Amino acid sequence: MSNRTPLMAGNWKMNLDWKQGLALVEELGEQLAGVDMSRVEAAVLPPFVDIRTVQTAVEAGSLPIAYGGQDLSAHESGAYTGEVSGSMLKALGATYAAVGHSERRQYHGEDEAVTNAKVKAAFAAGLVPILCVGEPLEERQAGNQVEYTLAQLRGGIEGLDAADAKQIVIAYEPVWAIGTGEVATPDDAQEVCAAIRGALREQYGPEVADAVRVLYGGSVKSSNVAELMTKEDVDGALVGGASLKAEEFAKIVGYQG
Ligand code: PGA
């Protein structure tokens, strides 16, 4: 058993306006009252326009819920229409920023250079990046899942020093498992999560590798999370669809029963 605190992060994607987000966070706070939050960390990644409201609800209720952005700009400030900076998220009390989600890579053309710049921008703003990596179906079918995912990992963390690397969260999300209902088997998740930790060990040594939380993401639900969490190198989950219902997400957070 590792001494890493598991992280269950809910990626709301482009769902829930601020009123709906407020209702969800308040209900989640109530549901989490029944969960031993000293053993697990819960986070939500709402749309940017919901974050101020989430902040107010979390602070008013002292809710055990961290939050962050689903993305951030690679730039600090200035003429980047439509973008949101890490320091703006930090000013809202955010802890995390997801970087390189497969939907960002697919629909916004984000490559390794962009994800690397965003990882660095997150650290520069005092946020913890959740770097998302994972192979598409054809790479899995060709047996290239480890090689493909590690290439994304190495590109995303290039140039990070050990102090930052130790803080990062990596989310292994095979693209074929995202939003499809087709969850990876615990052994498949473990294979790639262990390879990610191995690559971190090779690059930074055991102290960093043992500290970094490696999440699994892709069709995680309350009914399959416990089995995934039995795997040594799976330290939590990045949850999409199942994070939109307070009761279901609270069950995921409280997977230990
Ligand atoms: P899903 O999404 O849980 O709906 O499969 C996961 C994600 O994309 O983070």
Side-chain angles (χ1 to χ4, degrees):
M1 280 301 287
S2 78
N3 52 14
R4 296 180 288 273
T5 302
L7 170 63
M8 299 299 174
N11 173 12
W12 295 1
K13 308 194 179 183
M14 198 172 72
N15 295 294
L16 310 180
D17 64 28
W18 70 269
K19 285 184 190 167
Q20 296 164 323
L22 175 60
L24 176 57
V25 141
E26 286 181 336
E27 206 189 326
L28 185 58
E30 283 169 27
Q31 297 278 341
L32 291 180
V35 175
D36 178 0
M37 294 306 292
S38 66
R39 295 158 66 191
V40 61
E41 188 185 345
V44 294
L45 307 178
F48 289 133
V49 292
D50 295 6
I51 293 181
R52 174 66 177 147
T53 309
V54 167
Q55 175 191 28
T56 305
V58 165
E59 288 180 359
S62 299
L63 306 180
I65 304 170
Y67 51 90
Q70 298 170 13
D71 181 35
L72 81 166
S73 177
H75 307 283
E76 263 174 55
S77 66
Y80 300 101
T81 300
E83 297 207 19
V84 171
S85 73
S87 61
M88 291 172 183
L89 290 168
K90 184 71 183 174
L92 290 168
T95 303
Y96 296 105
V99 173
H101 189 279
S102 65
E103 287 147 21
R104 300 295 312 173
R105 295 177 192 263
Q106 185 179 350
Y107 305 130
H108 300 270
E110 295 192 5
D111 59 11
E112 260 63 270
V114 173
T115 58
N116 183 238
K118 290 187 173 188
V119 162
K120 288 174 177 164
F123 279 122
L127 299 170
V128 173
I130 301 175
L131 173 63
C132 304
V133 294
E135 82 287 354
L137 184 60
E138 17 350 319
E139 298 292 341
R140 160 78 43 178
Q141 285 168 337
N144 291 337
Q145 62 274 10
V146 168
E147 197 186 328
Y148 184 95
T149 303
L150 293 189
Q152 287 185 330
L153 171 73
R154 292 195 180 101
I157 64 174
E158 197 182 307
L160 282 197
D161 63 23
D164 280 348
K166 201 172 164 182
Q167 301 297 319
I168 201 170
V169 176
I170 308 294
Y172 168 55
E173 298 206 302
V175 177
W176 48 270
I178 295 177
T180 58
E182 196 183 333
V183 65
T185 67
D187 286 341
D188 286 344
Q190 168 62 18
E191 179 198 29
V192 184
C193 291
I196 288 169
R197 198 176 311 287
L200 292 169
R201 189 173 293 114
E202 215 172 87
Q203 198 165 332
Y204 294 102
E207 203 188 315
V208 168
D210 291 345
V212 170
R213 290 178 293 180
V214 182
L215 315 184
Y216 166 78
S219 299
V220 172
K221 303 188 216 34
S222 63
S223 57
N224 57 31
V225 68
E227 209 187 345
L228 288 158
M229 290 301 291
T230 62
K231 294 296 169 184
E232 193 182 331
D233 290 294
V234 178
D235 303 316
L238 184 54
V239 185
S243 73
L244 298 174
K245 296 264 183 320
E247 196 184 345
E248 171 69 2
F249 189 55
K251 278 190 196 160
I252 291 172
V253 176
Y255 71 96
Q256 291 170 106

